[in-house]
Amino acid sequence: MTILRTAILLASLVAPSAARAQASAVTFVYLRGADTIATEVVTPGNGVVKGVLTYRGQPRVEWEQQRASLRLTLEVFAAGSAPDAAPMQVASFVPRGDSMAIEVGARGAMRPQSVPIRAGAVAFINNSLLHSALLSQLARETGRTTLPVLLTQGAQQFDVTFSRISDTTTMTIAGMAMHIVWADGVPQEVRVPAQNLRAVRAGGSVAPLAEAPVSYDAPADAPYTSETVSIFTPRGYTLAGTFTRPKGVSGPVPVVVTISGSGPQDRDSRIPLVRGYAPFRDIADTLGRRGIAVLRYDDRGVGASGGRAGRDSATSRDFADDVLSVVRYLRLRPDVDGRRIALVGHSEGGFIAPMVAVDDPALAAIVLLAGPAYTGRRVIEFQNENVIRSAPNLTATQRDSLRRTVPAALDSIQRANRWMGYFMTTDPLVVARKVKQPVLILQGDTDQQVTPEQADTLATAMRAAGNRAVTMQRFPATNHLLLADPVGAPAGYADLPDSKVRRELLGTLTDWLTRTLR
């Protein structure tokens, strides 16, 4: 999801002295409870503020805010990449009256687009608490109590309101309040109570968050081995993965390939803000103990996989081609039974798996975990409405105002972004009806991202098209991440007590695959 055309001294965000061009960097530490989950290093300069935002395990975002033009530039780097690495993606946002000029792509290959905005709207980095403080400073300097913003992730538009009591400014967006505490004109802390999140200005020298390398090796006592593999694709890059194989099994073994959901995902499909969440590792461990091998891989452009240059323009159909490359690789291995290869796709992966199954009829089976049955546009419309409806402290008029901005924003995104254009216009049921292999559909009943009735819709469509080997099961108090959760709201994911995939769901998945691949 994604500042007023007023030339203010943005550098005052971090440096109260007149000699701001020479001011040193200031580090803010992001805390959820007692856990450090991110750092943001902000450096003022001559007419510009620069920031480096590093969330644990996520791509690093380097941003630059120009003072006079209000141009916001973002560069996104792979998680753990070297300081001199090339960015995976570059984006710029420049407000021009009633439109936002946006360029997205890679250096030397930028795609321009224009998004209609309300006059005076400014770009806002969704997950940067220091950019929130910058907006607060902007509103204070210009005497505004309301400021329209365009979110850099998702391009949604909201009215942000500001109020101030003593040294604290409260910024409210979509009903969520952020409290910015100031001292001598400089932010000291930003608190987001609804997310149990705060950014605290660090004293002294604090290094940016350094993430320890993730180990994909099998546990020492596991009854299976792990092997790092490199998979060639006809598109000129390789995919890096981990192949786990049961010990003590002679001859070729059945294999499951995992397919991640939307956004750049590593082979474990981790979400940094949910500590310990690694669903594909949970699946590989469970299946490995039941005699089934698993190949899980970093998405193209992520981790040790190549293909970063093309990731920005890749669609779900393109990611399906990556899965086909993985399957071809497995069939060349003498320790794999090429007739017993199954796919397990989560979320968007549940949209991709049927495409691959139709392209490759020799696949043995597919499993869809919280896969969509509706077009992406319908899914996103529901998610937007859910946010608007559940946001606290909004009047009915404010909610209606937000709703009116959604269609135009979605139209613009659909035209401008190739992945979104494909996702938003493609009906999953068209492909699902063509699947002939056995299918297992698993769904959480409290999923607020892909609504639970979509599992029923998928199963009904496949059976009506003649596939009699369709099994569907829904799990109570289970969210989109396949975790135990009586509510299922994404805002509550980070506070869940258990970040492991539900045992009942893993058991159903493993029992079905064991029978189907025997």
Side-chain angles (χ1 to χ4, degrees):
M1 315 264 196
T2 59
I3 332 194
L4 258 168
R5 298 180 61 84
T6 305
I8 63 167
L9 204 56
L10 297 177
S12 64
L13 173 65
V14 293
S17 79
R20 295 182 177 95
Q22 283 72 43
S24 59
V26 180
T27 297
F28 291 81
V29 179
Y30 284 44
L31 301 170
R32 173 163 278 121
D35 292 335
T36 298
I37 64 169
T39 58
E40 188 160 18
V41 182
V42 185
T43 306
N46 186 15
V48 66
V49 177
K50 296 183 179 182
V52 179
L53 177 59
T54 308
Y55 273 91
R56 189 187 304 280
Q58 285 189 338
R60 182 177 78 252
V61 177
E62 299 187 5
W63 56 269
E64 180 178 291
Q65 182 72 69
Q66 296 290 332
R67 176 171 63 87
S69 66
L70 294 181
R71 172 188 290 272
L72 174 64
T73 303
L74 305 176
E75 293 187 334
V76 182
F77 297 81
S81 60
D84 59 350
M88 296 189 299
Q89 187 182 61
V90 179
S92 70
F93 301 80
V94 184
R96 293 175 179 166
D98 60 357
S99 66
M100 184 74 71
I102 303 174
E103 288 188 302
V104 180
R107 286 176 178 166
M110 302 291 284
R111 297 193 311 277
Q113 54 193 270
S114 180
V115 174
I117 58 174
R118 291 191 293 281
V122 294
F124 173 40
I125 307 172
N126 306 44
N127 55 355
S128 169
L129 296 186
L130 271 298
H131 217 244
S132 302
L134 187 150
L135 284 180
S136 169
Q137 180 78 347
L138 173 61
R140 183 172 63 176
E141 293 282 342
T142 56
R144 300 289 297 272
T145 58
T146 302
L147 188 66
V149 300
L150 176 78
L151 303 182
T152 57
Q153 296 177 22
Q156 288 177 296
Q157 296 186 52
F158 291 96
D159 282 334
V160 178
T161 61
F162 301 90
S163 62
R164 186 172 185 179
I165 300 176
S166 186
D167 61 353
T168 300
T169 300
T170 297
M171 168 179 163
T172 303
I173 179 169
M176 185 176 67
M178 290 175 271
H179 307 293
I180 303 114
V181 181
W182 300 81
D184 299 323
V186 181
Q188 303 297 306
E189 181 180 16
V190 183
R191 299 190 299 264
V192 189
Q195 298 181 351
N196 189 26
L197 180 65
R198 60 195 180 110
V200 180
R201 183 172 179 172
S205 177
V206 177
L209 184 67
E211 183 73 4
V214 175
S215 173
Y216 300 109
D217 295 340
D221 60 347
Y224 56 86
T225 61
S226 62
E227 174 191 351
T228 299
V229 300
S230 182
I231 303 159
F232 173 78
T233 74
R235 291 159 297 285
Y237 54 85
T238 59
L239 298 171
T242 297
F243 179 71
T244 52
R245 188 184 192 280
K247 293 178 180 178
V249 178
S250 60
V253 295
V255 182
V256 161
V257 178
T258 54
I259 311 172
S260 70
S262 59
Q265 302 284 330
D266 78 341
R267 66 196 74 178
D268 284 346
S269 201
R270 297 170 184 267
I271 297 178
L273 295 183
V274 183
R275 198 74 178 268
Y277 180 70
F280 288 172
R281 188 179 185 90
D282 293 346
I283 289 171
D285 181 75
T286 305
L287 293 178
R289 296 175 188 276
R290 293 284 296 274
I292 299 175
V294 175
L295 198 155
R296 59 198 204 271
Y297 63 96
D298 296 336
D299 291 351
R300 69 163 77 176
V302 177
S305 288
R308 288 176 184 165
R311 179 176 178 88
D312 178 58
S313 60
T315 68
S316 302
R317 175 63 260 177
D318 298 319
F319 295 131
D321 291 339
D322 287 345
V323 181
L324 287 167
S325 295
V326 173
V327 172
R328 284 192 290 268
Y329 162 82
L330 288 171
R331 290 204 177 109
L332 293 175
R333 291 184 62 116
D335 57 349
V336 167
D337 186 341
R339 299 165 302 174
R340 293 190 292 165
I341 299 176
L343 309 178
V344 174
H346 176 234
S347 194
E348 185 192 0
F351 177 44
I352 293 170
M355 300 181 200
V356 183
V358 171
D359 288 346
D360 188 346
L363 283 168
I366 63 173
V367 179
L368 313 182
L369 306 175
Y374 305 152
T375 64
R377 179 153 187 141
R378 182 172 174 181
V379 170
I380 295 171
E381 285 173 342
F382 167 81
Q383 292 176 355
N384 274 278
E385 175 59 25
N386 208 21
V387 170
I388 294 170
R389 186 175 60 248
S390 61
N393 305 320
L394 290 183
T395 66
T397 299
Q398 289 172 321
R399 295 183 203 277
D400 288 341
S401 178
L402 286 174
R403 289 185 179 102
R404 286 193 292 271
T405 69
V406 171
L410 293 183
D411 289 343
S412 178
I413 297 169
Q414 183 174 313
R415 290 190 300 266
N417 183 285
R418 188 167 177 262
W419 179 87
M420 288 293 289
Y422 186 92
F423 178 65
M424 291 173 70
T425 59
T426 303
D427 184 353
L429 297 181
V430 173
V431 176
R433 292 186 181 102
K434 300 176 183 179
V435 175
K436 305 303 180 185
Q437 296 94 330
V439 180
L440 174 65
I441 302 169
L442 301 180
Q443 177 72 42
D445 263 344
T446 56
D447 191 335
Q448 292 192 31
Q449 293 182 258
V450 175
T451 48
E453 81 284 352
Q454 294 184 59
D456 304 83
T457 302
L458 277 170
T460 299
M462 289 178 161
R463 290 166 181 155
N467 191 336
R468 302 305 178 192
V470 178
T471 303
M472 190 274 290
Q473 184 169 339
R474 286 166 52 171
F475 294 84
T478 302
N479 66 21
H480 187 66
L481 302 185
L482 315 176
L483 305 179
D485 183 357
V487 178
Y493 288 167
D495 298 320
L496 295 174
D498 189 354
S499 60
K500 300 296 183 182
V501 174
R502 291 200 67 151
R503 289 183 181 179
E504 300 90 339
L505 190 148
L506 284 173
T508 299
L509 169 72
T510 304
D511 289 347
W512 186 87
L513 283 169
T514 301
R515 292 193 305 270
T516 304
L517 300 178
R518 67 178 180 268

